Amino acid sequence: MRLRPGLRSRLRPRLRTSLAAALGALTLLVAVPGPASAASGQFRYTYVTDEGYEAVGFFFDPPSGQCVNLPGAGSDDLPPAYAPKNLTDASATVFLAAGCAGDTFYTLRPGGGASDRLLVRSVVFS
């Protein structure tokens, strides 16, 4: 079956328009960034184990915008951790209380750290 010359010339612009719209939609999907899901890097802290030994806790690529209770120190019935080191690419706000609650907090810049005097139980990354 052959198309008449007049009909063929009317289909070409429609095909071009459809192809351009599809390419535009694909470009938008690729170009629009998604939400940040994680800070990149490592967060470290020191805590005392149940046996009384000093230990170093750490985690990699922590979630952004979510409170993280520090394993080994993230409960109010445990001694708090200390000497946090923020080796991520995001700011880290550390809290003395579990659940990122309370008015005792400190913000560590990316790559920054604090001394043994800073006590922490939870952290949230921005």
Side-chain angles (χ1 to χ4, degrees), residues 16-105:
R16 285 186 201 138
T17 303
S18 299
L19 184 60
L23 286 175
L26 180 63
T27 301
L28 281 176
L29 285 174
V30 172
V32 176
S37 61
S40 183
Q42 183 188 70
F43 183 81
R44 289 187 215 171
Y45 57 96
T46 305
Y47 67 101
V48 178
T49 66
D50 292 337
E51 295 81 25
Y53 297 106
E54 197 172 77
V56 175
F58 58 91
F59 44 93
F60 292 96
D61 301 335
S64 295
Q66 296 178 16
C67 181
V68 177
N69 287 325
L70 302 180
S75 170
D76 289 331
D77 60 336
L78 296 171
Y82 50 92
K85 305 285 185 260
N86 180 21
L87 305 176
T88 71
D89 61 355
S91 293
T93 302
V94 295
F95 293 82
L96 177 57
C100 299
D103 57 2
T104 304
F105 61 90

Coordinates of all heavy atoms in Angstrom, one line a residue, residues 16-105:
R16 N 7.8 14.4 13.2 CA 8.9 15.3 13.8 C 8.4 15.9 15.1 O 9.2 16.0 16.0 CB 9.2 16.4 12.8 CG 10.0 15.9 11.6 CD 10.5 17.1 10.8 NE 10.8 16.6 9.5 CZ 10.5 17.2 8.3 NH1 9.8 18.4 8.3 NH2 10.9 16.7 7.2
T17 N 7.2 16.3 15.1 CA 6.6 16.9 16.4 C 6.6 15.9 17.5 O 7.0 16.2 18.6 CB 5.2 17.5 16.1 OG1 5.3 18.4 15.1 CG2 4.7 18.2 17.4
S18 N 6.2 14.7 17.2 CA 6.1 13.6 18.2 C 7.5 13.3 18.7 O 7.7 13.1 19.9 CB 5.4 12.4 17.6 OG 4.1 12.7 17.3
L19 N 8.4 13.2 17.7 CA 9.8 12.8 18.1 C 10.4 13.9 18.9 O 11.1 13.7 19.9 CB 10.6 12.6 16.8 CG 12.1 12.2 17.0 CD1 12.1 10.8 17.8 CD2 12.8 12.0 15.7
A20 N 10.2 15.2 18.6 CA 10.7 16.3 19.4 C 10.1 16.3 20.8 O 10.8 16.6 21.8 CB 10.4 17.6 18.7
A21 N 8.8 16.0 20.9 CA 8.2 16.0 22.2 C 8.8 14.9 23.1 O 9.0 15.0 24.3 CB 6.7 15.8 22.1
A22 N 9.0 13.7 22.5 CA 9.6 12.6 23.2 C 11.0 12.9 23.7 O 11.4 12.6 24.8 CB 9.5 11.3 22.4
L23 N 11.8 13.5 22.8 CA 13.1 13.9 23.2 C 13.1 14.9 24.3 O 14.0 14.9 25.2 CB 13.9 14.3 22.0 CG 14.4 13.2 21.0 CD1 15.0 13.8 19.8 CD2 15.3 12.3 21.7
G24 N 12.2 15.9 24.2 CA 12.1 16.9 25.2 C 11.8 16.3 26.6 O 12.4 16.7 27.6
A25 N 10.8 15.4 26.6 CA 10.5 14.7 27.9 C 11.6 13.9 28.4 O 11.9 13.9 29.7 CB 9.3 13.8 27.6
L26 N 12.4 13.2 27.6 CA 13.5 12.5 28.0 C 14.6 13.4 28.6 O 15.2 13.1 29.6 CB 14.1 11.6 26.9 CG 15.3 10.8 27.2 CD1 15.0 9.7 28.3 CD2 15.9 10.1 26.0
T27 N 14.8 14.5 28.0 CA 15.8 15.5 28.5 C 15.4 16.0 29.8 O 16.2 16.1 30.7 CB 15.9 16.7 27.5 OG1 16.3 16.2 26.2 CG2 16.9 17.7 28.0
L28 N 14.1 16.3 30.1 CA 13.7 16.7 31.4 C 13.9 15.7 32.4 O 14.3 16.0 33.6 CB 12.2 17.1 31.3 CG 11.9 18.5 30.7 CD1 10.4 18.7 30.7 CD2 12.5 19.6 31.5
L29 N 13.6 14.4 32.1 CA 13.8 13.3 33.1 C 15.3 13.2 33.5 O 15.6 13.0 34.6 CB 13.3 12.0 32.5 CG 11.8 11.8 32.5 CD1 11.5 10.5 31.8 CD2 11.2 11.9 33.9
V30 N 16.2 13.4 32.5 CA 17.6 13.2 32.8 C 18.2 14.5 33.5 O 19.0 14.4 34.4 CB 18.4 12.9 31.5 CG1 19.9 12.9 31.7 CG2 17.9 11.6 30.9
A31 N 17.7 15.6 33.1 CA 18.3 16.9 33.6 C 17.8 17.3 35.0 O 18.5 17.9 35.7 CB 17.9 18.0 32.7
V32 N 16.6 16.9 35.4 CA 16.1 17.3 36.8 C 16.8 16.4 37.8 O 16.6 15.2 37.8 CB 14.6 17.2 36.8 CG1 14.1 17.5 38.2 CG2 14.0 18.1 35.8
P33 N 17.5 16.9 38.7 CA 18.1 16.1 39.8 C 17.1 15.6 40.8 O 16.1 16.3 41.1 CB 19.1 17.1 40.4 CG 18.6 18.4 40.2 CD 17.8 18.3 38.9
G34 N 17.4 14.4 41.3 CA 16.5 13.9 42.3 C 16.9 14.4 43.7 O 17.9 15.1 43.8
P35 N 16.1 14.1 44.7 CA 16.5 14.6 46.0 C 17.7 13.9 46.5 O 18.1 12.8 46.2 CB 15.3 14.1 46.9 CG 14.7 13.0 46.2 CD 14.9 13.3 44.7
A36 N 18.5 14.7 47.3 CA 19.7 14.1 47.9 C 19.3 13.0 48.9 O 18.5 13.2 49.8 CB 20.5 15.2 48.6
S37 N 19.9 11.8 48.7 CA 19.5 10.7 49.6 C 20.5 10.4 50.6 O 20.2 9.8 51.6 CB 19.3 9.5 48.7 OG 20.4 9.1 48.0
A38 N 21.8 10.9 50.4 CA 22.8 10.5 51.4 C 23.9 11.5 51.4 O 24.3 12.0 50.3 CB 23.3 9.1 51.2
A39 N 24.5 11.7 52.5 CA 25.8 12.4 52.6 C 26.9 11.4 52.1 O 26.7 10.2 52.4 CB 26.1 12.9 54.0
S40 N 27.9 11.9 51.5 CA 28.9 11.0 51.0 C 30.1 11.1 51.9 O 30.6 12.2 52.2 CB 29.3 11.4 49.6 OG 30.3 10.5 49.1
G41 N 30.6 9.9 52.4 CA 31.7 9.9 53.3 C 31.5 9.1 54.6 O 30.5 8.4 54.7
Q42 N 32.3 9.4 55.6 CA 32.3 8.6 56.8 C 32.0 9.6 58.0 O 32.6 10.7 58.0 CB 33.6 7.9 57.0 CG 33.6 7.0 58.2 CD 35.0 6.4 58.5 OE1 35.9 7.1 58.8 NE2 35.1 5.1 58.3
F43 N 31.3 9.1 59.0 CA 31.1 9.8 60.2 C 31.6 8.9 61.3 O 31.3 7.7 61.4 CB 29.6 10.1 60.5 CG 29.4 10.9 61.8 CD1 29.5 12.2 61.8 CD2 29.0 10.2 62.9 CE1 29.3 13.0 63.0 CE2 28.8 10.9 64.1 CZ 29.0 12.3 64.1
R44 N 32.5 9.4 62.2 CA 33.1 8.6 63.3 C 32.8 9.2 64.6 O 32.7 10.4 64.8 CB 34.6 8.6 63.1 CG 35.2 7.8 62.0 CD 36.7 7.8 62.1 NE 37.3 7.8 60.8 CZ 38.5 8.0 60.6 NH1 39.4 8.1 61.6 NH2 39.0 7.9 59.4
Y45 N 32.9 8.4 65.6 CA 32.7 8.8 67.0 C 33.4 7.8 67.9 O 33.6 6.6 67.5 CB 31.3 9.1 67.4 CG 30.4 7.8 67.2 CD1 30.1 7.0 68.2 CD2 29.9 7.5 65.9 CE1 29.4 5.8 68.0 CE2 29.1 6.4 65.7 CZ 28.9 5.5 66.8 OH 28.1 4.4 66.6
T46 N 33.6 8.2 69.2 CA 34.2 7.2 70.2 C 33.2 7.0 71.2 O 32.5 7.9 71.6 CB 35.5 7.8 70.8 OG1 36.4 8.2 69.7 CG2 36.2 6.9 71.7
Y47 N 33.1 5.8 71.7 CA 32.1 5.5 72.8 C 32.8 4.4 73.7 O 33.8 3.8 73.4 CB 30.8 5.0 72.3 CG 30.8 3.7 71.5 CD1 30.4 2.5 72.2 CD2 31.2 3.6 70.2 CE1 30.4 1.3 71.5 CE2 31.3 2.4 69.5 CZ 30.8 1.2 70.2 OH 30.8 0.0 69.5
V48 N 32.2 4.2 74.9 CA 32.6 3.2 75.8 C 31.7 2.0 75.7 O 30.5 2.1 75.8 CB 32.7 3.7 77.2 CG1 33.1 2.7 78.2 CG2 33.6 4.9 77.3
T49 N 32.2 0.8 75.5 CA 31.4 -0.5 75.4 C 30.9 -0.9 76.8 O 31.3 -0.3 77.8 CB 32.3 -1.6 74.9 OG1 33.3 -2.0 75.8 CG2 32.9 -1.3 73.5
D50 N 30.0 -1.8 76.8 CA 29.4 -2.4 78.1 C 30.5 -2.9 79.0 O 30.4 -2.9 80.2 CB 28.4 -3.5 77.8 CG 27.2 -2.9 77.1 OD1 26.9 -1.7 77.3 OD2 26.5 -3.7 76.5
E51 N 31.6 -3.4 78.4 CA 32.7 -4.0 79.1 C 33.7 -2.9 79.6 O 34.7 -3.2 80.3 CB 33.5 -5.0 78.3 CG 32.7 -6.2 77.9 CD 31.8 -6.0 76.7 OE1 32.1 -5.1 75.9 OE2 30.8 -6.7 76.6
G52 N 33.5 -1.6 79.3 CA 34.3 -0.5 79.7 C 35.5 -0.2 78.8 O 36.3 0.6 79.2
Y53 N 35.5 -0.8 77.6 CA 36.5 -0.5 76.6 C 36.1 0.7 75.7 O 35.0 0.8 75.3 CB 36.9 -1.7 75.8 CG 37.4 -2.9 76.5 CD1 36.6 -4.0 76.8 CD2 38.7 -2.9 77.0 CE1 37.1 -5.1 77.5 CE2 39.2 -3.9 77.8 CZ 38.3 -5.0 78.0 OH 38.8 -6.1 78.7
E54 N 37.1 1.5 75.3 CA 36.9 2.5 74.4 C 36.8 1.9 73.0 O 37.7 1.1 72.6 CB 38.0 3.5 74.5 CG 37.7 4.9 73.8 CD 38.8 5.9 74.1 OE1 39.8 5.8 73.5 OE2 38.5 6.8 75.0
A55 N 35.8 2.3 72.2 CA 35.7 1.8 70.8 C 35.3 3.0 69.9 O 34.9 4.0 70.3 CB 34.5 0.8 70.8
V56 N 35.6 2.7 68.6 CA 35.3 3.7 67.6 C 34.1 3.2 66.8 O 34.2 2.1 66.3 CB 36.5 4.0 66.7 CG1 36.1 5.0 65.6 CG2 37.6 4.6 67.5
G57 N 33.1 4.0 66.7 CA 31.9 3.7 65.9 C 32.0 4.5 64.6 O 32.5 5.7 64.6
F58 N 31.5 4.0 63.5 CA 31.5 4.8 62.3 C 30.4 4.2 61.4 O 30.0 3.1 61.5 CB 32.8 4.8 61.6 CG 33.3 3.5 61.3 CD1 33.1 2.9 60.1 CD2 34.1 2.7 62.2 CE1 33.6 1.6 59.8 CE2 34.6 1.5 61.9 CZ 34.3 0.9 60.7
F59 N 30.0 5.1 60.4 CA 29.1 4.6 59.4 C 29.4 5.4 58.1 O 29.9 6.6 58.2 CB 27.6 4.6 59.7 CG 27.1 5.9 60.5 CD1 26.6 6.9 59.8 CD2 27.2 5.9 61.8 CE1 26.1 8.0 60.4 CE2 26.7 7.0 62.5 CZ 26.2 8.1 61.8
F60 N 29.1 4.8 57.0 CA 29.4 5.4 55.7 C 28.1 5.9 55.0 O 27.1 5.3 55.1 CB 30.1 4.4 54.7 CG 31.5 4.0 55.2 CD1 31.7 2.9 55.9 CD2 32.5 4.8 54.9 CE1 32.9 2.5 56.3 CE2 33.8 4.5 55.3 CZ 34.0 3.3 56.0
D61 N 28.2 7.0 54.3 CA 27.2 7.6 53.5 C 25.8 7.6 54.2 O 24.8 7.0 53.8 CB 27.0 6.8 52.2 CG 28.3 6.8 51.3 OD1 29.1 7.7 51.5 OD2 28.5 5.8 50.6
P62 N 25.8 8.4 55.3 CA 24.6 8.4 56.1 C 23.4 9.1 55.4 O 23.7 10.0 54.5 CB 25.0 9.2 57.3 CG 26.1 10.0 56.9 CD 26.8 9.2 55.9
P63 N 22.2 8.8 55.7 CA 21.0 9.4 55.0 C 21.0 10.9 55.4 O 21.3 11.3 56.5 CB 19.8 8.7 55.5 CG 20.3 8.1 56.9 CD 21.8 7.8 56.7
S64 N 20.5 11.7 54.4 CA 20.4 13.2 54.7 C 19.0 13.4 55.2 O 18.0 12.8 54.8 CB 20.6 14.0 53.4 OG 21.9 13.9 53.0
G65 N 18.9 14.3 56.2 CA 17.6 14.8 56.7 C 16.9 13.8 57.7 O 15.8 14.0 58.1
Q66 N 17.6 12.7 58.0 CA 17.0 11.7 58.9 C 17.9 11.6 60.2 O 19.1 11.6 60.1 CB 17.0 10.3 58.3 CG 16.1 10.3 57.1 CD 16.1 8.9 56.5 OE1 16.6 7.9 57.1 NE2 15.6 8.8 55.2
C67 N 17.3 11.6 61.3 CA 18.0 11.4 62.6 C 18.6 10.0 62.7 O 17.9 9.0 62.4 CB 17.1 11.7 63.8 SG 17.9 11.6 65.3
V68 N 19.9 9.9 63.1 CA 20.5 8.7 63.3 C 21.0 8.6 64.8 O 21.8 9.4 65.2 CB 21.7 8.5 62.4 CG1 22.5 7.2 62.7 CG2 21.3 8.6 60.9
N69 N 20.4 7.6 65.5 CA 20.9 7.4 66.9 C 22.2 6.6 66.8 O 22.3 5.6 66.1 CB 19.9 6.6 67.7 CG 18.7 7.5 68.1 OD1 18.9 8.7 68.3 ND2 17.6 6.9 68.2
L70 N 23.3 7.0 67.5 CA 24.6 6.4 67.3 C 24.6 5.0 68.0 O 24.3 4.9 69.2 CB 25.7 7.3 67.9 CG 25.8 8.7 67.4 CD1 26.9 9.5 68.1 CD2 26.0 8.7 65.9
P71 N 24.9 4.0 67.2 CA 25.0 2.6 67.8 C 26.1 2.6 68.9 O 27.2 3.2 68.8 CB 25.5 1.8 66.6 CG 25.0 2.5 65.4 CD 25.1 3.9 65.8
G72 N 25.7 2.1 70.1 CA 26.6 2.0 71.2 C 26.4 3.2 72.1 O 27.0 3.2 73.3
A73 N 25.7 4.3 71.7 CA 25.6 5.5 72.5 C 24.2 6.2 72.3 O 24.0 7.2 72.9 CB 26.7 6.4 72.3
G74 N 23.4 5.7 71.4 CA 22.2 6.4 71.0 C 21.0 6.2 71.8 O 19.9 6.4 71.4
S75 N 21.2 5.8 73.1 CA 20.1 5.6 74.0 C 20.4 6.4 75.3 O 21.6 6.5 75.7 CB 19.9 4.2 74.3 OG 19.0 4.0 75.4
D76 N 19.4 7.0 75.9 CA 19.7 7.8 77.1 C 20.1 7.0 78.3 O 20.6 7.6 79.2 CB 18.4 8.6 77.4 CG 18.1 9.7 76.4 OD1 19.1 10.3 75.8 OD2 17.0 10.1 76.2
D77 N 20.0 5.7 78.2 CA 20.5 4.9 79.3 C 21.9 4.4 79.1 O 22.5 3.7 80.0 CB 19.5 3.7 79.6 CG 19.4 2.8 78.4 OD1 19.7 3.2 77.3 OD2 19.1 1.6 78.6
L78 N 22.6 4.8 78.0 CA 24.0 4.5 77.8 C 24.8 5.8 77.9 O 24.3 6.9 77.7 CB 24.2 4.0 76.4 CG 23.5 2.6 76.0 CD1 23.6 2.4 74.5 CD2 24.1 1.5 76.8
P79 N 26.1 5.6 78.3 CA 26.9 6.8 78.3 C 27.0 7.4 76.9 O 27.0 6.7 75.9 CB 28.3 6.3 78.7 CG 28.1 4.9 79.3 CD 26.8 4.4 78.7
P80 N 27.0 8.7 76.7 CA 27.1 9.3 75.4 C 28.5 9.1 74.7 O 29.5 8.8 75.4 CB 26.9 10.8 75.7 CG 27.3 11.0 77.1 CD 27.0 9.7 77.8
A81 N 28.4 9.2 73.4 CA 29.7 9.1 72.6 C 30.4 10.5 72.7 O 29.8 11.4 73.2 CB 29.4 8.7 71.2
Y82 N 31.6 10.5 72.2 CA 32.3 11.8 72.2 C 33.3 11.8 71.1 O 33.5 10.8 70.3 CB 33.1 12.0 73.6 CG 33.9 10.8 74.0 CD1 35.2 10.7 73.6 CD2 33.3 9.7 74.7 CE1 36.0 9.6 74.0 CE2 34.1 8.6 75.1 CZ 35.4 8.6 74.7 OH 36.2 7.5 75.1
A83 N 33.9 13.0 70.9 CA 34.9 13.2 69.8 C 34.4 12.9 68.4 O 35.0 12.1 67.7 CB 36.2 12.5 70.1
P84 N 33.2 13.4 68.0 CA 32.7 13.1 66.6 C 33.6 13.7 65.6 O 34.2 14.8 65.7 CB 31.4 13.7 66.6 CG 31.5 14.9 67.6 CD 32.4 14.4 68.7
K85 N 33.7 13.0 64.5 CA 34.5 13.4 63.3 C 33.6 13.3 62.1 O 33.1 12.2 61.7 CB 35.7 12.6 63.0 CG 36.7 12.5 64.2 CD 37.5 13.7 64.4 CE 38.5 13.6 65.5 NZ 38.1 14.1 66.8
N86 N 33.3 14.4 61.4 CA 32.4 14.5 60.3 C 33.2 14.5 59.0 O 33.7 15.5 58.5 CB 31.5 15.7 60.3 CG 30.6 15.8 59.1 OD1 30.3 14.7 58.5 ND2 30.1 16.9 58.8
L87 N 33.5 13.3 58.5 CA 34.3 13.2 57.3 C 33.4 13.0 56.0 O 33.8 12.4 55.0 CB 35.3 12.0 57.4 CG 36.2 12.1 58.6 CD1 37.0 10.8 58.8 CD2 37.0 13.3 58.6
T88 N 32.2 13.6 56.1 CA 31.3 13.6 55.0 C 31.4 14.9 54.2 O 32.0 15.8 54.6 CB 29.8 13.3 55.4 OG1 29.4 14.5 56.1 CG2 29.8 12.1 56.3
D89 N 30.6 15.0 53.1 CA 30.5 16.2 52.4 C 29.3 17.1 52.7 O 29.0 18.0 52.1 CB 30.5 15.9 50.9 CG 29.3 15.1 50.5 OD1 28.5 14.6 51.3 OD2 29.1 14.8 49.3
A90 N 28.7 16.8 53.9 CA 27.5 17.5 54.4 C 27.7 18.0 55.8 O 28.6 17.4 56.5 CB 26.3 16.6 54.3
S91 N 27.0 19.0 56.2 CA 27.1 19.4 57.6 C 26.4 18.4 58.5 O 25.4 17.8 58.0 CB 26.4 20.8 57.8 OG 27.1 21.8 57.1
A92 N 26.9 18.2 59.7 CA 26.3 17.2 60.6 C 26.0 17.9 61.9 O 26.8 18.6 62.5 CB 27.3 16.1 60.9
T93 N 24.7 17.9 62.3 CA 24.3 18.5 63.6 C 24.2 17.3 64.6 O 23.4 16.4 64.4 CB 23.0 19.2 63.4 OG1 23.2 20.3 62.4 CG2 22.6 19.9 64.8
V94 N 25.0 17.4 65.6 CA 25.0 16.3 66.6 C 24.3 16.8 67.9 O 24.3 18.0 68.2 CB 26.5 15.9 67.0 CG1 27.2 15.3 65.8 CG2 27.3 17.1 67.5
F95 N 23.6 15.9 68.5 CA 22.8 16.2 69.7 C 23.2 15.4 70.9 O 23.6 14.2 70.7 CB 21.3 15.8 69.4 CG 20.7 16.7 68.3 CD1 20.9 16.5 67.0 CD2 19.9 17.8 68.7 CE1 20.3 17.3 66.0 CE2 19.3 18.6 67.8 CZ 19.5 18.4 66.4
L96 N 23.1 15.9 72.1 CA 23.4 15.2 73.3 C 22.3 14.2 73.6 O 22.6 13.1 74.1 CB 23.5 16.2 74.5 CG 23.7 15.5 75.8 CD1 25.0 14.6 75.8 CD2 23.8 16.6 76.9
A97 N 21.1 14.5 73.2 CA 19.9 13.6 73.4 C 19.7 12.6 72.2 O 20.1 13.0 71.1 CB 18.7 14.4 73.7
A98 N 19.2 11.5 72.5 CA 18.8 10.6 71.5 C 17.6 11.2 70.7 O 16.9 12.0 71.2 CB 18.4 9.2 72.1
G99 N 17.4 10.7 69.5 CA 16.3 11.2 68.6 C 16.5 12.6 68.1 O 15.5 13.2 67.7
C100 N 17.7 13.1 68.1 CA 18.0 14.5 67.7 C 17.1 15.5 68.3 O 16.5 16.4 67.7 CB 17.8 14.6 66.1 SG 19.0 13.5 65.3
A101 N 16.8 15.3 69.6 CA 16.0 16.1 70.4 C 16.8 17.0 71.4 O 17.9 16.8 71.6 CB 15.0 15.3 71.2
G102 N 16.1 18.0 71.9 CA 16.7 18.8 72.9 C 17.4 20.1 72.4 O 17.5 20.2 71.2
D103 N 17.8 20.9 73.3 CA 18.4 22.2 72.9 C 20.0 22.2 73.0 O 20.6 23.2 72.9 CB 17.8 23.3 73.7 CG 18.0 23.2 75.2 OD1 18.6 22.2 75.6 OD2 17.5 24.0 75.9
T104 N 20.5 21.0 73.3 CA 22.0 20.8 73.3 C 22.5 20.2 72.1 O 22.3 19.0 71.9 CB 22.4 20.0 74.6 OG1 21.9 20.6 75.7 CG2 23.9 20.0 74.7
F105 N 23.0 21.0 71.1 CA 23.5 20.5 69.9 C 24.6 21.3 69.3 O 24.9 22.4 69.9 CB 22.3 20.4 68.8 CG 21.7 21.8 68.5 CD1 22.3 22.6 67.5 CD2 20.7 22.3 69.3 CE1 21.7 23.8 67.2 CE2 20.2 23.5 69.0 CZ 20.7 24.3 68.0

